[in-house]
Amino acid sequence: MGEQAFDSMKTQQSVSNKVVANQYVQCIANAITQHVPNSVFAGEWELVVFDEPQVNAFALPGGKIGVYTGLMGVATTQAQLAAVIGHEVGHVIAEHGNERMSSSALINVGLEVTNQLLKTNQIASSSLLMAGLGLGVQVGVQLPFSRTHESEADLIGLELMARAGFDPRESVTLWENMAKASGDNRQAELLSTHPLPATRISNLSKNMDNAMLFYIAATTKPKCG
């Protein structure tokens, strides 16, 4: 389903042909995915840079990563972008898409739809299934990952970026940038499925000492530009 959803997005959204931007993001993604367990995905990850203004990125089961050019204005260094990619890959490692797909809400609402789509091999056309994979915003269905999933992915991503040789302290700077970019125009956390930037910064900071140990021990320090 992740592969079909990704193929569908490549036909529906503008794909960047800017060589420098693609090489830059690919360099970061390669460094991160080298530290993904083979039990999660053992093949070569496919990366696509979408030439869209969204400040967003995603990763899908089956080794797929999408990054939007709008993100570059907020994730201004390679380490900050590594924090985002690590976070998104963290969702895949933790199988959050699987959990969303099997949640009671999706079962109650979409079981029959799921069965029919699986039979007809039209998986990528279902906004419900796309939302279950974490792509709800892109397809107009507000079904993003929960606060718990987001916090878990933050910490997985923190470790991934540190192991890959990116300074994990930049993850805090990233969320400071995110807060500035949003103009602090955020609804109350209890009414949101995503933690507030301040909450994410606090959680990341609490786990920074351990991440720094991985960073110091990293045998390579990427220079992606």
Side-chain angles (χ1 to χ4, degrees):
M1 284 187 285
E3 292 171 359
Q4 291 193 39
F6 199 63
D7 288 342
S8 177
M9 293 184 72
K10 287 189 292 184
T11 65
Q12 296 172 7
Q13 301 190 37
S14 177
V15 175
S16 173
N17 59 5
K18 298 176 182 177
V19 176
V20 174
N22 276 272
Q23 290 178 342
Y24 170 63
V25 180
Q26 186 72 65
C27 175
I28 297 169
N30 286 346
I32 292 290
T33 55
Q34 286 179 12
H35 297 273
V36 176
N38 287 339
S39 58
V40 174
F41 183 73
E44 183 177 349
W45 287 71
E46 179 184 2
L47 169 80
V48 170
V49 178
F50 293 98
D51 193 7
E52 303 280 354
Q54 295 172 241
V55 181
N56 208 354
F58 63 87
L60 297 174
K64 309 298 181 183
I65 297 173
V67 175
Y68 292 88
T69 54
L71 179 61
M72 309 296 188
V74 178
T76 57
T77 67
Q78 64 170 18
Q80 289 173 30
L81 187 54
V84 177
I85 294 176
H87 167 93
E88 298 301 334
V89 172
H91 281 304
V92 177
I93 292 174
E95 298 186 340
H96 290 157
N98 296 21
E99 292 181 30
R100 295 296 295 172
M101 294 291 287
S102 61
S103 69
S104 59
L106 282 175
I107 290 173
N108 292 336
V109 174
L111 183 58
E112 183 58 31
V113 174
T114 301
N115 288 336
Q116 292 302 317
L117 289 171
L118 289 173
K119 290 177 183 178
T120 59
N121 201 33
Q122 297 296 315
I123 296 170
S125 66
S126 170
S127 60
L128 183 64
L129 295 179
M130 296 278 276
L133 290 168
L135 299 174
V137 174
Q138 287 89 331
V139 296
V141 179
Q142 294 300 321
L143 191 60
F145 291 120
S146 69
R147 289 195 299 274
T148 300
H149 284 171
E150 290 295 317
S151 297
E152 185 177 1
D154 278 347
L155 297 186
I156 295 173
L158 184 69
E159 181 175 330
L160 277 177
M161 69 179 294
R163 287 183 180 276
F166 297 103
D167 189 341
R169 292 169 293 191
E170 289 278 346
S171 64
V172 172
T173 307
L174 167 72
W175 283 105
E176 291 173 345
N177 292 350
M178 287 285 195
K180 292 177 183 177
S182 68
D184 294 322
N185 184 24
R186 300 276 302 208
Q187 62 178 325
E189 182 169 0
L190 290 176
L191 302 178
S192 171
T193 56
H194 286 58
L196 292 175
T199 301
R200 303 182 96 141
I201 289 171
S202 176
N203 290 338
L204 290 166
S205 298
K206 290 176 183 177
N207 290 272
M208 194 59 65
D209 288 346
N210 190 52
M212 286 299 296
L213 295 177
F214 290 122
Y215 175 58
I216 293 169
T219 56
T220 59
K221 299 291 192 294
K223 295 181 179 179
C224 298

